[in-house]
Amino acid sequence: MIKLNIDRIGEVEAPEGITLKKLFRELIEKDSSIQKRLRDVVGAKIKDQIIDIHTPIFESTDVKLLTKKDPESLEILRHSLAHIMAQALKELYGDENVHLGVGPTTDVGFYYDVEVEGKRLTEEDLPIIEEKMREIIQKNYEIERKELDREYAIQFFENKKEFYKVDLIKHFIPEGEKISVYEQDGFVDLCRGPHIPSTGEVGAFKLVSIAGAYWKGQEGNPMLQRIYGVAFWTEKELKKYMNMLEEAKKRDHRKIGKELELFIIDENVGGGLALWLPKGAIIRNEIETAWKEEHLKRGYQLVYSPHVGKQELWQTSGHTDFYRESMFPEMQIEEEGYFVKPMNCPFHVEIYKSRQRSYKELPIKLAELGTVYRYERSGVLHGLMRVRGFTQDDAHIICREDQVEEEIQKVLHLAIDTLKAYGFDEFQIFLSTRPEKSVGDDRMWEIATDSLRKAIESVGLPYEIDEGGGAFYGPKIDVKIKDAIGRMWQCSTIQFDFNLPERFDMYYIGEDNKRHRPYMVHRAIFGSIERFIGVLIEHFAGQMPLWLAPVQAKLIPIADVHVPYAEEVAQKLREKGLRVEVDERNERMNKKIRDAELQKIPYMLVVGDKEAESGTVAVRTKKKGNIGTIPVEEFAERALNLIKEKSLEL
Ligand SMILES: [Zn+2]
Ligand SMILES: [Zn+2]
């Protein structure tokens, strides 16, 4: 017998291998009033594992019941939908023709990799599959768990022509382990669970897209079709998510980047290698200039390093051993090997080592907007978000032990201040601690981890600890930001490194005239400039704040006769440092205004007879419409102030 301590019910004795389903039935038979308490239970959590009511329990344990109100229960729903979709496919296209791969859950739903013999599924098939799924849900089939012997299971799936399932059993399930399957309405799928009690328990779902996926993610294997679905317990949540997707589509930085002529990715140049067009270059230059100024103010020193370095350098740093598959291949010059840099660190280490350092010089903070190149498979490249060449806003802090705490605080404050200036005010912070396999001594790990924790506490933000999730060479903080439509984006990282100082024998001369090993920290605030600008474009939906806008004001002459005055005003404003254009086209004023709005230009300055006579401009913004006629000087002053403050509003 085992003892289960179940919330809402209390302690219960039961035979080993009992399922919650059986247990609930027995409890209700004894005391029907319990039924009410169990009505919306869809599964449970034991230790950190989510189980369903079909899973046998073998040990005494605490059991936390999950209802549809617990976010964790979504896993159970989404998993079950993958099976329901698989059953629907079999019914639609024939049991014999549909070969199932894997069908896991995602953050918002599920997918299933499938092969349908003789048919290439398209998005047009999705509503048909959905309808079949609804039929299965309507019928409310009971879902049952069974355990099979290995040999029997292999034979069973072979008979069903489920070759991928057979492959999974042979390669991923150890000999001797029982093989669990779930069955509904005669449809059997290899699965560990968890699943809802019956198909009728399904909430709201939608099939959204189809993509190609190699079996087991390996090129050369058969290409399956991956059908993605999203799922929530309620229609309301699903609708909210679908609206967000819709909004995300409108804000897609690849689309906006093209419309506003900010950047292109040209197949003649190569995938994942961005070309910045003049307007995009202005945004980038403004961001980089602000970044440099802020870093200089905070005691960083700017450096530059080359794009390639010798093979030995990357060997010393360990990159050729641990990072090789992400690096562009080696090239030969005069019988020596070189690599394009995937990171800037070894260069900064060499700059530190360019002469002997004294304890008085520390901390040394070397900063660089360093462009690095990494091999990413062409299939995962995505606009500016995932590229092969990108610019890290990188810096390395090299300091003494007694400086660690203060320096880490400073760098986290710098990160949060910087991100807030772009209008991000919701953050998720993760602290990753020492993994089992690691280098560096206990004391250093403790001091470093402690300093990271204290820094997070000093900015007053909540955080999560990823226990054992740090790199083998040091603990780190990751900062994610929430954009205007609620998506989280990974940005800043503050990463200790106990490995490179050893490998490169970095030291400083202490007060005691002896050599000491410094602490080293890698850190980036944006992470990648390319990606950060991609995020900004989507966050602002292309409507950049004034200080970043490639064109800050558009002069709109009402008629041709007003063009000379418009030119005169434009020239005045340019001299004051504003980025201004004149719309000289022979178009109606409304069309010019509309076009300037589509180009996301912050200010539209309309000029006609009245303005020309009085030396004024009629100021418009997209959001507020006409906001008054003011002297040119006054407009310039107002705009320049907003730019100076890096204001997000007009
Ligand atoms: Zn399953
Ligand atoms: Zn680094």
Side-chain angles (χ1 to χ4, degrees):
M1 292 296 265
I2 53 171
K3 268 188 199 156
L4 299 175
N5 187 16
I6 307 174
D7 65 332
R8 295 197 232 182
I9 291 182
E11 205 169 88
V12 179
E13 278 216 343
E16 242 179 78
I18 187 130
T19 64
L20 289 178
K21 189 173 176 176
K22 188 146 183 271
L23 181 68
F24 290 172
R25 206 183 293 142
E26 286 171 10
L27 289 172
I28 290 165
E29 266 171 31
K30 270 190 237 157
D31 175 2
S32 61
S33 73
I34 287 182
Q35 184 148 25
K36 230 201 237 158
R37 277 182 267 166
L38 297 173
R39 195 164 39 197
D40 45 354
V41 171
V42 290
K45 203 171 165 186
I46 289 179
K47 284 160 195 146
D48 267 334
Q49 209 195 337
I50 295 170
I51 63 155
D52 56 29
I53 63 166
H54 318 286
T55 316
I57 306 170
F58 292 99
E59 284 169 36
S60 297
T61 178
D62 288 341
V63 179
K64 184 188 178 291
L65 298 179
L66 296 176
T67 71
K68 294 179 182 178
K69 292 212 172 72
D70 297 299
E72 291 154 311
S73 68
L74 279 166
E75 172 87 13
I76 304 174
L77 165 70
R78 290 167 179 164
H79 204 97
S80 302
L81 272 160
H83 283 229
I84 292 169
M85 181 167 77
Q87 186 189 345
L89 289 168
K90 293 237 172 205
E91 288 186 13
L92 283 168
Y93 307 112
D95 196 359
E96 301 265 289
N97 299 326
V98 177
H99 312 305
L100 301 169
V102 291
T105 59
T106 66
D107 285 348
V108 292
F110 60 94
Y111 68 75
Y112 218 126
D113 288 349
V114 300
E115 186 184 338
V116 183
E117 260 182 66
K119 175 151 179 82
R120 194 167 170 74
L121 295 169
T122 68
E123 308 232 331
E124 273 147 37
D125 296 312
L126 298 182
I128 301 164
I129 302 168
E130 266 181 23
E131 203 184 293
K132 195 71 182 168
M133 289 170 71
R134 285 186 213 291
E135 268 176 41
I136 296 167
I137 293 162
Q138 194 73 46
K139 296 253 172 72
N140 195 17
Y141 296 118
E142 192 149 352
I143 297 175
E144 276 176 294
R145 180 191 170 101
K146 287 181 183 158
E147 286 189 347
L148 309 179
D149 285 330
R150 188 187 180 84
E151 286 315 310
Y152 179 84
I154 290 172
Q155 199 54 56
F156 176 84
F157 284 111
E158 248 165 26
N159 291 344
K160 286 237 160 224
K161 291 194 178 177
E162 292 289 9
F163 311 117
Y164 301 111
K165 297 292 180 190
V166 173
D167 191 11
L168 290 177
I169 297 172
K170 286 185 175 166
H171 288 99
F172 295 105
I173 304 183
E175 302 248 4
E177 202 172 287
K178 281 273 182 189
I179 288 168
S180 63
V181 296
Y182 279 74
E183 182 172 350
Q184 66 206 23
D185 183 31
F187 166 72
V188 177
D189 199 353
L190 176 70
C191 178
R192 287 207 170 95
H195 283 284
I196 48 179
S198 63
T199 61
E201 294 290 329
V202 162
F205 76 97
K206 189 161 178 48
L207 302 184
V208 286
S209 60
I210 301 185
Y214 289 110
W215 172 235
K216 292 196 254 183
Q218 276 161 24
E219 269 168 74
N221 278 352
M223 173 74 89
L224 306 186
Q225 288 197 283
R226 178 170 295 177
I227 310 176
Y228 284 98
V230 294
F232 296 89
W233 284 118
T234 64
E235 285 294 338
K236 197 175 153 197
E237 288 166 291
L238 177 68
K239 201 165 167 217
K240 193 174 154 207
Y241 178 76
M242 294 308 294
N243 286 344
M244 195 279 287
L245 267 196
E246 193 63 29
E247 189 58 36
K249 238 184 229 171
K250 279 190 232 155
R251 289 166 181 254
D252 190 326
H253 73 287
R254 295 169 299 179
K255 176 172 154 274
I256 294 177
K258 200 169 178 185
E259 287 164 3
L260 303 187
E261 295 183 37
L262 303 178
F263 69 92
I264 51 168
I265 292 178
D266 184 342
E267 278 311 315
N268 292 326
V269 175
L273 301 166
L275 293 175
W276 292 88
L277 303 178
K279 285 181 175 161
I282 288 174
I283 297 174
R284 179 165 169 171
N285 184 51
E286 289 292 348
I287 292 172
E288 293 186 352
T289 305
W291 184 93
K292 286 180 189 170
E293 281 171 4
E294 198 55 43
H295 279 70
L296 290 171
K297 260 192 237 166
R298 303 204 191 205
Y300 286 79
Q301 295 170 293
L302 299 179
V303 295
Y304 292 93
S305 61
H307 287 238
V308 292
K310 271 165 68 173
Q311 190 268 341
E312 284 87 348
L313 181 76
W314 303 108
Q315 185 143 13
T316 308
S317 65
H319 284 94
T320 48
D321 290 330
F322 305 120
Y323 208 69
R324 187 111 189 198
E325 69 277 19
S326 298
M327 292 163 77
F328 277 59
E330 191 171 351
M331 49 191 150
Q332 296 286 327
I333 302 168
E334 296 178 347
E335 272 139 62
E336 289 202 273
Y338 286 81
F339 284 98
V340 175
K341 65 174 167 183
M343 292 187 196
N344 304 298
C345 333
F347 297 109
H348 291 194
V349 171
E350 294 296 348
I351 290 171
Y352 174 83
K353 286 178 66 184
S354 60
R355 64 176 166 77
Q356 184 159 289
R357 305 289 183 174
S358 142
Y359 70 97
K360 289 182 200 155
E361 280 177 86
L362 301 183
I364 288 175
K365 301 192 261 191
L366 302 174
E368 177 179 9
L369 295 164
T371 304
V372 297
Y373 297 87
R374 295 180 187 173
Y375 168 62
E376 298 268 12
R377 297 207 343 255
S378 50
V380 302
L381 299 174
H382 181 88
L384 295 176
M385 304 300 193
R386 193 105 175 239
V387 287
R388 285 180 175 158
F390 64 95
T391 305
Q392 283 185 312
D393 63 319
D394 207 356
H396 293 92
I397 299 167
I398 299 151
C399 66
R400 306 189 305 259
E401 188 168 286
D402 63 293
Q403 296 169 324
V404 164
E405 205 174 301
E406 190 186 338
E407 286 308 318
I408 293 299
Q409 258 190 47
K410 280 184 180 168
V411 67
L412 186 58
H413 280 266
L414 171 59
I416 300 293
D417 291 352
T418 304
L419 296 171
K420 277 187 176 165
Y422 288 90
F424 299 105
D425 47 18
E426 271 191 65
F427 305 95
Q428 270 178 356
I429 303 188
F430 301 88
L431 170 61
S432 303
T433 62
R434 190 174 192 171
E436 263 177 42
K437 271 193 181 171
S438 59
V439 300
D441 62 44
D442 295 352
R443 179 191 157 69
M444 289 178 96
W445 274 90
E446 203 167 301
I447 286 171
T449 310
D450 235 41
S451 73
L452 292 171
R453 188 177 298 118
K454 282 184 184 157
I456 303 173
E457 278 157 14
S458 80
V459 291
L461 292 167
Y463 64 102
E464 283 171 42
I465 297 182
D466 182 2
E467 211 65 66
F472 74 91
Y473 49 81
K476 67 167 176 173
I477 294 176
D478 287 310
V479 180
K480 284 187 182 178
I481 53 176
K482 191 180 199 172
D483 75 7
I485 55 171
R487 294 171 301 176
M488 301 305 298
W489 299 93
Q490 164 65 35
C491 273
S492 316
T493 302
I494 304 171
Q495 167 81 64
F496 274 90
D497 193 330
F498 305 134
N499 190 37
L500 283 191
E502 293 292 331
R503 284 179 163 266
F504 280 93
D505 190 24
M506 293 164 77
Y507 68 87
Y508 64 91
I509 302 295
E511 221 173 342
D512 55 5
N513 263 319
K514 287 186 185 142
R515 287 181 172 205
H516 296 268
R517 197 66 84 211
Y519 278 72
M520 179 173 174
V521 176
H522 313 258
R523 48 113 284 190
I525 292 166
F526 303 134
S528 142
I529 299 272
E530 283 76 1
R531 188 162 170 281
F532 185 69
I533 294 177
V535 173
L536 279 185
I537 292 170
E538 300 201 358
H539 177 64
F540 290 122
Q543 191 79 50
M544 289 292 176
L546 188 63
W547 74 282
L548 290 176
V551 177
Q552 292 164 320
K554 189 99 174 181
L555 265 298
I556 297 177
I558 291 173
D560 280 352
V561 300
H562 307 117
V563 170
Y565 176 66
E567 292 284 8
E568 187 191 313
V569 173
Q571 194 47 38
K572 261 190 206 162
L573 296 175
R574 279 188 202 115
E575 278 165 22
K576 290 184 182 289
L578 290 164
R579 297 186 287 266
V580 187
E581 280 180 359
V582 180
D583 190 342
E584 292 177 359
R585 295 174 305 164
N586 185 14
E587 292 281 359
R588 284 176 305 112
M589 182 182 77
N590 283 342
K591 161 101 172 118
K592 292 182 187 175
I593 290 174
R594 172 104 186 102
D595 286 350
E597 284 180 354
L598 285 175
Q599 282 296 302
K600 317 277 185 197
I601 297 170
Y603 284 117
M604 288 149 278
L605 308 175
V606 181
V607 294
D609 287 337
K610 206 176 77 193
E611 287 77 19
E613 274 159 33
S614 57
T616 57
V617 286
V619 185
R620 290 186 70 90
T621 68
K622 183 178 181 214
K623 206 161 130 193
K624 297 180 184 161
N626 193 343
I627 54 172
T629 301
I630 54 174
V632 175
E633 301 291 323
E634 195 184 320
F635 168 75
E637 199 180 320
R638 192 191 286 182
L640 289 168
N641 268 330
L642 294 175
I643 290 168
K644 205 171 131 207
E645 293 164 11
K646 300 195 169 59
S647 169
L648 299 174
E649 298 292 327
L650 293 179

Short mmCIF file of all heavy atoms in Angstrom, two decimals, residues 93-130:
data_model
loop_
_atom_site.label_atom_id
_atom_site.label_comp_id
_atom_site.label_asym_id
_atom_site.label_seq_id
_atom_site.Cartn_x
_atom_site.Cartn_y
_atom_site.Cartn_z
N TYR A 93 -7.63 10.49 -44.09
CA TYR A 93 -6.77 10.08 -45.21
C TYR A 93 -6.42 8.59 -45.19
O TYR A 93 -5.65 8.13 -46.02
CB TYR A 93 -5.49 10.93 -45.22
CG TYR A 93 -5.79 12.40 -45.21
CD1 TYR A 93 -5.49 13.19 -44.10
CD2 TYR A 93 -6.44 13.00 -46.29
CE1 TYR A 93 -5.80 14.55 -44.08
CE2 TYR A 93 -6.76 14.35 -46.28
CZ TYR A 93 -6.44 15.12 -45.17
OH TYR A 93 -6.77 16.45 -45.14
N GLY A 94 -7.01 7.85 -44.26
CA GLY A 94 -6.79 6.41 -44.22
C GLY A 94 -5.71 6.00 -43.25
O GLY A 94 -4.59 6.51 -43.31
N ASP A 95 -6.06 5.10 -42.38
CA ASP A 95 -5.16 4.61 -41.33
C ASP A 95 -3.80 4.19 -41.91
O ASP A 95 -2.74 4.51 -41.41
CB ASP A 95 -5.84 3.43 -40.63
CG ASP A 95 -5.19 3.10 -39.30
OD1 ASP A 95 -4.20 3.78 -38.95
OD2 ASP A 95 -5.66 2.18 -38.63
N GLU A 96 -3.86 3.47 -43.06
CA GLU A 96 -2.66 2.92 -43.68
C GLU A 96 -1.74 4.00 -44.25
O GLU A 96 -0.54 3.79 -44.38
CB GLU A 96 -3.08 2.03 -44.86
CG GLU A 96 -3.98 0.89 -44.48
CD GLU A 96 -3.17 -0.36 -44.25
OE1 GLU A 96 -2.66 -0.91 -45.24
OE2 GLU A 96 -3.03 -0.77 -43.08
N ASN A 97 -2.33 5.13 -44.63
CA ASN A 97 -1.57 6.16 -45.35
C ASN A 97 -0.92 7.18 -44.44
O ASN A 97 -0.06 7.94 -44.87
CB ASN A 97 -2.48 6.90 -46.33
CG ASN A 97 -3.07 5.97 -47.35
OD1 ASN A 97 -2.41 5.02 -47.76
ND2 ASN A 97 -4.31 6.20 -47.74
N VAL A 98 -1.39 7.25 -43.21
CA VAL A 98 -0.88 8.28 -42.31
C VAL A 98 0.15 7.67 -41.37
O VAL A 98 -0.15 6.75 -40.62
CB VAL A 98 -2.02 8.93 -41.50
CG1 VAL A 98 -1.47 9.95 -40.52
CG2 VAL A 98 -3.05 9.56 -42.43
N HIS A 99 1.38 8.16 -41.45
CA HIS A 99 2.44 7.69 -40.56
C HIS A 99 2.80 8.81 -39.60
O HIS A 99 3.15 9.91 -40.03
CB HIS A 99 3.67 7.27 -41.37
CG HIS A 99 3.31 6.37 -42.51
ND1 HIS A 99 2.59 5.20 -42.34
CD2 HIS A 99 3.55 6.49 -43.84
CE1 HIS A 99 2.42 4.63 -43.52
NE2 HIS A 99 2.98 5.39 -44.45
N LEU A 100 2.70 8.52 -38.32
CA LEU A 100 2.88 9.56 -37.30
C LEU A 100 4.31 9.62 -36.80
O LEU A 100 4.93 8.59 -36.54
CB LEU A 100 1.95 9.28 -36.12
CG LEU A 100 0.45 9.22 -36.46
CD1 LEU A 100 -0.34 8.68 -35.27
CD2 LEU A 100 -0.06 10.59 -36.88
N GLY A 101 4.82 10.84 -36.66
CA GLY A 101 6.15 11.06 -36.07
C GLY A 101 6.00 11.37 -34.59
O GLY A 101 5.49 10.57 -33.83
N VAL A 102 6.40 12.58 -34.20
CA VAL A 102 6.23 12.98 -32.79
C VAL A 102 5.22 14.11 -32.71
O VAL A 102 5.07 14.89 -33.65
CB VAL A 102 7.56 13.43 -32.14
CG1 VAL A 102 8.49 12.24 -31.98
CG2 VAL A 102 8.23 14.54 -32.94
N GLY A 103 4.55 14.20 -31.57
CA GLY A 103 3.51 15.21 -31.40
C GLY A 103 3.57 15.88 -30.04
O GLY A 103 2.73 15.66 -29.19
N PRO A 104 4.56 16.72 -29.82
CA PRO A 104 4.72 17.36 -28.50
C PRO A 104 3.90 18.66 -28.36
O PRO A 104 3.28 19.11 -29.32
CB PRO A 104 6.21 17.71 -28.48
CG PRO A 104 6.55 17.97 -29.90
CD PRO A 104 5.67 17.08 -30.73
N THR A 105 3.95 19.22 -27.16
CA THR A 105 3.28 20.49 -26.92
C THR A 105 4.28 21.64 -27.16
O THR A 105 5.49 21.43 -27.18
CB THR A 105 2.77 20.61 -25.48
OG1 THR A 105 3.89 20.48 -24.59
CG2 THR A 105 1.76 19.53 -25.17
N THR A 106 3.74 22.85 -27.36
CA THR A 106 4.56 24.05 -27.48
C THR A 106 4.08 25.03 -26.39
O THR A 106 3.17 24.70 -25.64
CB THR A 106 4.39 24.72 -28.85
OG1 THR A 106 3.05 25.21 -28.96
CG2 THR A 106 4.64 23.74 -29.98
N ASP A 107 4.67 26.23 -26.37
CA ASP A 107 4.27 27.23 -25.37
C ASP A 107 2.81 27.66 -25.52
O ASP A 107 2.21 28.15 -24.57
CB ASP A 107 5.13 28.49 -25.51
CG ASP A 107 6.51 28.26 -24.94
OD1 ASP A 107 6.69 27.22 -24.27
OD2 ASP A 107 7.40 29.08 -25.19
N VAL A 108 2.28 27.53 -26.72
CA VAL A 108 0.92 28.01 -26.95
C VAL A 108 0.00 26.93 -27.50
O VAL A 108 -1.19 27.17 -27.69
CB VAL A 108 0.90 29.22 -27.92
CG1 VAL A 108 1.55 30.42 -27.27
CG2 VAL A 108 1.57 28.87 -29.22
N GLY A 109 0.53 25.76 -27.76
CA GLY A 109 -0.32 24.73 -28.34
C GLY A 109 0.41 23.41 -28.52
O GLY A 109 0.98 22.88 -27.58
N PHE A 110 0.42 22.94 -29.74
CA PHE A 110 0.98 21.62 -30.01
C PHE A 110 1.33 21.52 -31.48
O PHE A 110 0.95 22.38 -32.28
CB PHE A 110 -0.08 20.55 -29.67
CG PHE A 110 -1.35 20.71 -30.48
CD1 PHE A 110 -1.53 19.99 -31.65
CD2 PHE A 110 -2.34 21.60 -30.08
CE1 PHE A 110 -2.68 20.15 -32.42
CE2 PHE A 110 -3.50 21.78 -30.84
CZ PHE A 110 -3.67 21.05 -32.01
N TYR A 111 2.07 20.49 -31.83
CA TYR A 111 2.20 20.13 -33.25
C TYR A 111 2.32 18.64 -33.37
O TYR A 111 2.53 17.94 -32.38
CB TYR A 111 3.37 20.87 -33.92
CG TYR A 111 4.78 20.49 -33.47
CD1 TYR A 111 5.38 19.30 -33.88
CD2 TYR A 111 5.52 21.35 -32.67
CE1 TYR A 111 6.67 18.97 -33.49
CE2 TYR A 111 6.82 21.03 -32.28
CZ TYR A 111 7.38 19.84 -32.69
OH TYR A 111 8.66 19.51 -32.29
N TYR A 112 2.15 18.15 -34.61
CA TYR A 112 2.40 16.74 -34.86
C TYR A 112 3.15 16.67 -36.19
O TYR A 112 2.77 17.36 -37.13
CB TYR A 112 1.10 15.94 -34.94
CG TYR A 112 1.21 14.57 -34.30
CD1 TYR A 112 0.33 14.15 -33.32
CD2 TYR A 112 2.22 13.68 -34.70
CE1 TYR A 112 0.45 12.90 -32.71
CE2 TYR A 112 2.34 12.43 -34.10
CZ TYR A 112 1.46 12.05 -33.11
OH TYR A 112 1.59 10.81 -32.51
N ASP A 113 4.24 15.90 -36.23
CA ASP A 113 4.94 15.66 -37.48
C ASP A 113 4.33 14.42 -38.12
O ASP A 113 4.32 13.35 -37.48
CB ASP A 113 6.44 15.42 -37.23
CG ASP A 113 7.15 16.70 -36.83
OD1 ASP A 113 6.54 17.79 -36.96
OD2 ASP A 113 8.30 16.63 -36.38
N VAL A 114 3.85 14.56 -39.33
CA VAL A 114 3.16 13.44 -39.96
C VAL A 114 3.60 13.27 -41.41
O VAL A 114 4.08 14.20 -42.04
CB VAL A 114 1.63 13.64 -39.94
CG1 VAL A 114 1.13 13.76 -38.52
CG2 VAL A 114 1.21 14.87 -40.75
N GLU A 115 3.39 12.07 -41.89
CA GLU A 115 3.58 11.81 -43.31
C GLU A 115 2.27 11.24 -43.81
O GLU A 115 1.75 10.28 -43.25
CB GLU A 115 4.71 10.78 -43.48
CG GLU A 115 5.09 10.54 -44.91
CD GLU A 115 6.14 9.43 -45.04
OE1 GLU A 115 6.87 9.15 -44.06
OE2 GLU A 115 6.21 8.86 -46.12
N VAL A 116 1.71 11.88 -44.82
CA VAL A 116 0.48 11.36 -45.41
C VAL A 116 0.82 10.89 -46.81
O VAL A 116 1.12 11.68 -47.69
CB VAL A 116 -0.62 12.44 -45.45
CG1 VAL A 116 -1.91 11.84 -46.01
CG2 VAL A 116 -0.86 13.02 -44.07
N GLU A 117 0.78 9.58 -47.00
CA GLU A 117 1.17 9.02 -48.30
C GLU A 117 0.22 9.50 -49.38
O GLU A 117 -0.99 9.48 -49.21
CB GLU A 117 1.13 7.50 -48.23
CG GLU A 117 2.51 6.89 -48.04
CD GLU A 117 2.46 5.38 -48.02
OE1 GLU A 117 2.12 4.80 -49.07
OE2 GLU A 117 2.72 4.81 -46.94
N GLY A 118 0.80 9.95 -50.47
CA GLY A 118 0.00 10.36 -51.62
C GLY A 118 -0.69 11.69 -51.45
O GLY A 118 -1.54 12.06 -52.25
N LYS A 119 -0.38 12.42 -50.38
CA LYS A 119 -1.01 13.73 -50.23
C LYS A 119 -0.06 14.71 -49.57
O LYS A 119 0.60 14.40 -48.60
CB LYS A 119 -2.28 13.60 -49.37
CG LYS A 119 -2.91 14.96 -49.09
CD LYS A 119 -4.41 14.88 -48.90
CE LYS A 119 -4.98 16.25 -48.59
NZ LYS A 119 -5.23 17.09 -49.75
N ARG A 120 0.00 15.91 -50.18
CA ARG A 120 0.76 16.98 -49.58
C ARG A 120 -0.23 17.95 -48.95
O ARG A 120 -1.03 18.58 -49.63
CB ARG A 120 1.59 17.69 -50.66
CG ARG A 120 2.59 18.54 -50.03
CD ARG A 120 3.67 19.08 -50.92
NE ARG A 120 4.35 20.05 -50.09
CZ ARG A 120 5.17 19.75 -49.09
NH1 ARG A 120 5.47 18.49 -48.82
NH2 ARG A 120 5.70 20.70 -48.37
N LEU A 121 -0.23 18.01 -47.64
CA LEU A 121 -1.19 18.87 -46.94
C LEU A 121 -0.85 20.34 -47.19
O LEU A 121 0.32 20.71 -47.27
CB LEU A 121 -1.16 18.59 -45.44
CG LEU A 121 -1.62 17.19 -45.01
CD1 LEU A 121 -1.28 16.96 -43.55
CD2 LEU A 121 -3.10 17.01 -45.25
N THR A 122 -1.89 21.16 -47.31
CA THR A 122 -1.69 22.60 -47.42
C THR A 122 -2.56 23.27 -46.36
O THR A 122 -3.37 22.61 -45.71
CB THR A 122 -2.10 23.14 -48.80
OG1 THR A 122 -3.52 23.02 -48.92
CG2 THR A 122 -1.41 22.39 -49.92
N GLU A 123 -2.40 24.59 -46.24
CA GLU A 123 -3.17 25.31 -45.22
C GLU A 123 -4.68 25.18 -45.48
O GLU A 123 -5.48 25.30 -44.56
CB GLU A 123 -2.76 26.79 -45.18
CG GLU A 123 -1.25 26.95 -45.04
CD GLU A 123 -0.80 27.87 -43.92
OE1 GLU A 123 -1.55 28.79 -43.58
OE2 GLU A 123 0.32 27.62 -43.39
N GLU A 124 -5.03 24.94 -46.76
CA GLU A 124 -6.45 24.78 -47.08
C GLU A 124 -7.05 23.53 -46.46
O GLU A 124 -8.26 23.44 -46.29
CB GLU A 124 -6.65 24.76 -48.60
CG GLU A 124 -6.81 26.15 -49.18
CD GLU A 124 -6.22 26.27 -50.57
OE1 GLU A 124 -6.35 25.31 -51.35
OE2 GLU A 124 -5.62 27.34 -50.85
N ASP A 125 -6.20 22.57 -46.12
CA ASP A 125 -6.71 21.34 -45.50
C ASP A 125 -7.00 21.54 -44.02
O ASP A 125 -7.69 20.72 -43.40
CB ASP A 125 -5.69 20.20 -45.66
CG ASP A 125 -5.48 19.85 -47.13
OD1 ASP A 125 -6.49 19.68 -47.83
OD2 ASP A 125 -4.33 19.76 -47.56
N LEU A 126 -6.46 22.59 -43.44
CA LEU A 126 -6.56 22.74 -41.98
C LEU A 126 -8.02 22.81 -41.49
O LEU A 126 -8.36 22.12 -40.51
CB LEU A 126 -5.76 23.96 -41.50
CG LEU A 126 -4.24 23.87 -41.75
CD1 LEU A 126 -3.52 25.10 -41.19
CD2 LEU A 126 -3.64 22.59 -41.14
N PRO A 127 -8.89 23.60 -42.13
CA PRO A 127 -10.28 23.64 -41.65
C PRO A 127 -10.95 22.26 -41.71
O PRO A 127 -11.77 21.93 -40.86
CB PRO A 127 -10.97 24.62 -42.60
CG PRO A 127 -9.87 25.42 -43.19
CD PRO A 127 -8.67 24.54 -43.23
N ILE A 128 -10.57 21.47 -42.72
CA ILE A 128 -11.17 20.14 -42.86
C ILE A 128 -10.72 19.25 -41.69
O ILE A 128 -11.52 18.52 -41.10
CB ILE A 128 -10.74 19.50 -44.20
CG1 ILE A 128 -11.20 20.40 -45.36
CG2 ILE A 128 -11.28 18.09 -44.34
CD1 ILE A 128 -10.52 20.11 -46.69
N ILE A 129 -9.44 19.33 -41.38
CA ILE A 129 -8.91 18.54 -40.26
C ILE A 129 -9.55 19.00 -38.95
O ILE A 129 -9.96 18.19 -38.12
CB ILE A 129 -7.37 18.66 -40.18
CG1 ILE A 129 -6.73 18.21 -41.50
CG2 ILE A 129 -6.82 17.84 -39.02
CD1 ILE A 129 -5.26 18.56 -41.65
N GLU A 130 -9.66 20.33 -38.81
CA GLU A 130 -10.30 20.88 -37.60
C GLU A 130 -11.71 20.33 -37.43
O GLU A 130 -12.11 19.98 -36.32
CB GLU A 130 -10.40 22.41 -37.71
CG GLU A 130 -9.25 23.14 -37.08
CD GLU A 130 -9.41 24.64 -37.19
OE1 GLU A 130 -10.54 25.14 -37.36
OE2 GLU A 130 -8.37 25.33 -37.12
#
